[in-house]
Amino acid sequence: MAMQGAPDPGEPQREPARTYVSADGLRARGWTDGTVRRLLGEPDRLSAHPRFRSAPWIRMYRVERVEAAERSAEFRSGAAFAARRSGAVRKAVGRGGQEAVARRRRKVLARILAEPIDVPRLDAGELARRAVEHRARRETQVTESITGTEGTAGIEGITGTTEATGALGTPSTDRASLDRWKIDYLRHRLSPYDELLEGLSRREERGRAAALLRRRIHAAIAEAYPELAEECERQARAQQLGSPPGETPRP
């Protein structure tokens, strides 16, 4: 079939509706370059690009020829094969993505297991003082976020107490609460270890890694401060943390 000559670039191209299908239109209908060459051959005409006059000519095919070719057994079999191949490619890409996610998760978990947890060592009075101050700051922040005003709780607002904080010289709370505050303060000091979780985006992956990291941090605090071991274990159980591989939970 003889192809019409390329139109004059100065001549506006007005195509009747649905008379021609462009090469891009054929791809959207499931055609490949190979099936276009085999079943349609040369385009029926060339059309100037509607926006960029310097762009290559657009190959146009009469819709009657296109529809007739699409009814042929060769086109239908080729389209079915292309669909199957596309599906196989998508599955392969999906498997590759899942494998990449699994590798990234294993790498992060390995880093968490291998990273030494350096707990700051403080004497009992200093740790109690800092824990109470940290608690007071948190309560002030909560008050400000709720009321929208500057909080006034302060350290002196934490009272009702059975033991002194030592260096602080102000009333404290009961022993169990003070132990919780100490652990909260130490975990705050260890928050830079959260950087080990970078690279995990999916919620379930990050949750497992975060649980492992918290377990390691609790274990490191208990080792550095044996008097806090019982509270560390209680918090671990309350948070339903699992033991890291190769580690047996304390009784």
Side-chain angles (χ1 to χ4, degrees):
M1 176 179 298
M3 180 184 68
Q4 296 182 18
D8 185 344
E11 176 187 352
Q13 303 301 308
R14 298 184 178 88
E15 302 294 345
R18 300 185 180 179
T19 301
Y20 291 92
V21 180
S22 68
D24 288 341
L26 291 176
R27 295 189 188 95
R29 295 167 69 111
W31 287 74
T32 65
D33 292 342
T35 54
V36 171
R37 287 193 298 269
R38 289 196 306 273
L39 301 183
L40 296 178
E42 293 294 329
D44 295 297
R45 67 168 301 155
L46 296 175
S47 178
H49 195 284
R51 294 181 59 188
F52 304 104
R53 309 299 289 183
S54 61
W57 297 104
I58 299 174
R59 301 190 304 276
M60 307 293 291
Y61 302 83
R62 286 194 177 275
V63 69
E64 295 86 358
R65 281 213 302 139
V66 170
E67 292 176 345
E70 289 175 346
R71 291 191 292 268
S72 69
E74 183 177 355
F75 177 83
R76 289 197 299 269
S77 62
F81 172 75
R84 289 194 300 271
R85 182 177 61 182
S86 178
V89 169
R90 285 195 298 270
K91 289 181 180 179
V93 170
R95 287 194 298 270
Q98 292 172 359
E99 291 171 358
V101 168
R103 286 194 300 270
R104 185 165 61 246
R105 180 176 62 248
R106 289 193 297 268
K107 182 178 179 180
V108 171
L109 293 177
R111 285 181 59 198
I112 292 174
L113 283 172
E115 187 74 15
I117 306 297
D118 186 16
V119 180
R121 306 297 179 102
L122 304 169
D123 63 56
E126 180 67 10
L127 177 58
R129 185 185 70 82
R130 295 191 184 189
V132 171
E133 290 179 345
H134 179 66
R135 177 70 178 190
R137 283 194 298 270
R138 289 185 56 190
E139 290 189 350
T140 300
Q141 291 168 358
V142 170
T143 300
E144 292 175 352
S145 66
I146 293 175
T147 64
T149 59
E150 185 176 353
T152 58
I155 297 173
E156 65 278 6
I158 302 176
T159 59
T161 72
T162 59
E163 67 178 18
T165 60
L168 186 62
T170 60
S172 73
T173 187
D174 60 277
R175 170 65 181 273
S177 296
L178 186 57
D179 284 350
R180 289 197 299 272
W181 298 355
K182 290 176 181 178
I183 293 173
D184 286 347
Y185 167 73
L186 291 170
R187 288 182 58 188
H188 171 72
R189 287 286 303 272
L190 297 172
S191 59
Y193 286 97
D194 290 343
E195 295 178 357
L196 295 174
L197 302 176
E198 291 182 357
L200 296 178
S201 55
R202 293 172 55 181
R203 182 175 179 180
E204 59 273 18
E205 296 168 358
R206 192 174 184 89
R208 179 184 176 189
L212 175 59
L213 179 58
R214 287 196 301 268
R215 179 69 183 183
R216 287 216 59 213
I217 287 176
H218 275 103
I221 293 174
E223 182 179 355
Y225 298 93
E227 68 275 15
L228 299 178
E230 183 176 352
E231 177 59 23
C232 285
E233 187 61 28
R234 188 199 66 78
Q235 290 188 18
R237 289 196 301 269
Q239 295 170 357
Q240 297 180 344
L241 302 181
S243 299
E247 182 176 310
T248 303
R250 299 183 182 184

